[in-house]
Amino acid sequence: MNPTALSHENTSRTAKAGGLTLHYHEAGPAGPDAPDGPDAPVVIMLHGGGPGASGWSNFGANLPHFAARFRTLLVDQPCYGRSEAPEPDRDYFSFSARAVVALMDELGIARAHFIGNSLGGGTAARIALDHPGRIAKLLLMGPGGISLNLFSADPTEGIKRLFEFSLDPEPTRERMRTFLTTLVHDPALVTDALVEERFAQATDPAALLGSARMAASFARWPEDTMLWREAHRIACPVLLTWGREDRVNPVDGAFLALKAIPDARLHVFPRCGHWAQTEAADAFNRLATDFFSH
């Protein structure tokens, strides 16, 4: 498929994985001159949480860059996007990790590079811990679970705004805008169209149910989400990336993971919030491609 012609519709896929129906987007190198063709290395991207989140909303704009070189999958984690929203039977990171590994099995993917943003970073880190043979290299972007704030108070500004939207019996577009603004350094990126798109997704009855079930799993198994306690067991090469102005998972949360993970390095993007893939898209794309390619 021509990476420049990628759309939400023509990359959309579903698969049954581990008893769950998961939705994902897939694209990769095509044509006789494409590097590696059908044997291209695989990159799996796992989105962050928050109202209206999905694989496409997080990484759709990055897909053409990665699909030119890698077989690239943007996965809607359980309880998000068009994926099924069952009640987790364990902490969310473990629950989602199990589903993603099942999807890899279903698609015949033995090993992949991973990009995990925020909530997806926690899922990707759990895969690295519980299924180390399935991850080649791991890029974590302002990840949840694996970071521990050293200087910033909890809950952070972004988490407070997330709770305000999620716990409001009648969530509003204004609360959505306020939440989205905490994800970026430049508020101009929070357009009316983005607010409307995320609000429509977030207030869908299935999305509301999924969000409630995901949140309940964190409340039920809180200690199992403290992945920083196990970070020393992550054996694959890890690139930690952070926006210097991240107001959801502040950059001081990177330092314990940087110290604990045996093969870790850290890149900090200036003038950038929680969405490095958006605010620093070109630099982020180049950095990730170089990391996965060497």
Side-chain angles (χ1 to χ4, degrees), residues 74-126:
L74 319 182
V75 180
D76 288 351
Q77 297 187 77
C79 301
Y80 285 92
R82 297 183 181 178
S83 287
E84 198 172 347
E87 187 171 348
D89 60 357
R90 61 192 67 191
D91 74 277
Y92 184 81
F93 293 145
S94 298
F95 182 73
S96 184
R98 182 179 63 185
V100 173
V101 170
L103 178 64
M104 293 174 70
D105 291 340
E106 179 66 23
L107 300 179
I109 299 171
R111 202 160 179 249
H113 302 306
F114 274 80
I115 294 177
N117 171 223
S118 199
L119 181 78
T123 298
R126 176 51 73 190

Side-chain angles (χ1 to χ4, degrees), residues 21-56:
T21 299
L22 293 183
H23 177 262
Y24 62 100
H25 296 271
E26 180 176 357
D33 299 324
D36 300 317
D39 298 321
V42 179
V43 171
I44 296 175
M45 300 185 180
L46 300 178
H47 60 83
S54 68
W56 187 265

Side-chain angles (χ1 to χ4, degrees), residues 216-230:
S217 74
F218 275 91
R220 187 174 180 185
W221 294 283
E223 292 197 2
D224 292 336
T225 65
M226 298 177 187
L227 305 182
W228 52 268
R229 300 187 300 185
E230 303 176 64

Side-chain angles (χ1 to χ4, degrees), residues 29 35-36 41-43 45 62-72 113-115 137-139 239 241 267 269 280-294:
D36 300 317
V42 179
V43 171
M45 300 185 180
N62 308 91
L63 184 57
H65 172 89
F66 285 90
R69 180 180 294 267
F70 305 101
R71 179 186 177 189
T72 307
H113 302 306
F114 274 80
I115 294 177
K137 291 184 177 181
L138 174 59
L139 189 157
L239 174 58
T241 66
H267 183 94
F269 297 96
D282 290 343
F284 175 82
N285 290 344
R286 289 194 302 269
L287 184 73
T289 299
D290 184 67
F291 177 57
F292 292 147
S293 301
H294 298 95

Side-chain angles (χ1 to χ4, degrees), residues 108-290:
I109 299 171
R111 202 160 179 249
H113 302 306
F114 274 80
I115 294 177
N117 171 223
S118 199
L119 181 78
T123 298
R126 176 51 73 190
I127 294 172
L129 288 164
D130 292 355
H131 309 274
R134 310 306 294 267
I135 293 187
K137 291 184 177 181
L138 174 59
L139 189 157
L140 298 173
M141 183 171 55
I146 206 72
S147 62
L148 180 66
N149 296 339
L150 302 178
F151 310 121
S152 304
D154 284 317
T156 62
E157 181 186 359
I159 298 301
K160 287 179 181 177
R161 302 294 88 81
L162 170 63
F163 286 162
E164 286 175 357
F165 181 91
S166 300
L167 298 178
D168 192 331
E170 296 185 11
T172 64
R173 289 172 175 80
E174 190 54 38
R175 284 202 187 278
M176 173 61 78
R177 183 182 297 276
T178 300
F179 165 67
L180 292 175
T181 301
T182 68
L183 302 182
V184 294
H185 175 57
D186 180 5
L189 292 172
V190 183
T191 62
D192 291 345
L194 176 61
V195 172
E196 192 61 36
E197 175 187 340
R198 290 288 295 254
F199 184 77
Q201 293 173 353
T203 53
D204 178 84
L208 291 170
L209 176 62
S211 178
R213 287 177 167 175
M214 182 278 295
S217 74
F218 275 91
R220 187 174 180 185
W221 294 283
E223 292 197 2
D224 292 336
T225 65
M226 298 177 187
L227 305 182
W228 52 268
R229 300 187 300 185
E230 303 176 64
H232 63 280
R233 295 199 294 108
I234 297 179
C236 65
V238 175
L239 174 58
L240 300 164
T241 66
W242 242 274
R244 189 182 63 191
E245 285 74 38
D246 193 327
R247 290 181 280 164
V248 178
N249 292 332
V251 69
D252 56 280
F255 300 129
L256 187 147
L258 179 64
K259 180 68 174 177
I261 297 171
D263 189 1
R265 67 280 288 149
L266 171 65
H267 183 94
V268 178
F269 297 96
R271 297 175 296 279
C272 181
H274 195 53
W275 276 354
Q277 83 283 7
T278 299
E279 287 197 277
D282 290 343
F284 175 82
N285 290 344
R286 289 194 302 269
L287 184 73
T289 299
D290 184 67

